[in-house]
Amino acid sequence: MTAPGAESDDGVTVQGDRTVTVADTPAIRDRFGWDAREFAIHCHSGRVIEARWRGVPLASVFAAADFAPGTTHVLVTARDGYEVCVSVLDARAALLGFHREALRVRNGEGATLGTPRFLAPDLESTEAVRDVDRIEAVSVPSGATPHEYATG
């Protein structure tokens, strides 16, 4: 049986000029670090989901994946194919959350918080992707919108 907030043991592929796989393992924790942070996800329905998450800070993972100098965004893809394109500046402050604790839900009931979860300060609720499968460096050309790169 899997503990709540630890629904998946699959790794997440992070693609830059190199490919890095991130999973909840001692080797990954040693290589990239492990952190605990509070995040609030503000849903468009008015519901607010607050939780303390533990996971891998993504800045060091991005460095290991060797993102190209022109990288402007990351394309975050869930296992079900849902995608969002997030500014690389926001993504560098992100945590790939593998475990959640101290869950609080305001203005609604229940919460679907599949892991691993892409979390960062000030993300739109649609950008806090659950069940992350892949994170890829992309360069959005001037005049294009990040939404053109995502299915979300």
Side-chain angles (χ1 to χ4, degrees):
M1 182 171 189
T2 305
E7 288 84 359
S8 173
D9 293 327
D10 294 341
V12 174
T13 301
V14 179
Q15 185 68 53
D17 287 339
R18 293 188 198 115
T19 302
V20 176
T21 301
V22 180
D24 180 10
T25 66
I28 293 298
R29 289 180 185 201
D30 289 344
R31 182 175 178 193
F32 298 114
W34 190 255
D35 202 359
R37 300 184 198 163
E38 296 276 338
F39 290 98
I41 300 169
H42 298 268
C43 300
H44 291 100
S45 66
R47 181 173 64 169
V48 179
I49 303 167
E50 300 171 311
R52 181 173 177 83
W53 288 86
R54 291 180 288 129
V56 175
L58 285 174
S60 59
V61 175
F62 294 168
D66 196 22
F67 281 12
T71 298
T72 60
H73 291 75
V74 295
L75 184 64
V76 182
T77 306
R79 283 186 194 87
D80 66 3
Y82 178 81
E83 295 178 328
V84 296
C85 196
V86 177
S87 157
V88 74
L89 296 176
D90 291 335
R92 283 196 174 115
L95 180 80
L96 189 58
F98 285 96
H99 301 277
R100 66 169 163 74
E101 52 194 39
L103 175 68
R104 296 169 302 284
V105 180
R106 291 186 282 134
N107 301 326
E109 296 182 27
T112 305
L113 297 172
T115 62
R117 184 93 182 208
F118 180 81
L119 300 152
D122 303 320
L123 285 182
E124 294 276 329
S125 62
T126 57
E127 296 171 324
V129 177
R130 64 178 179 241
D131 299 320
V132 176
D133 182 56
R134 182 178 179 82
I135 300 172
E136 181 180 354
V138 295
S139 296
V140 176
S142 179
T145 65
H147 301 292
E148 296 173 26
Y149 286 78
T151 60

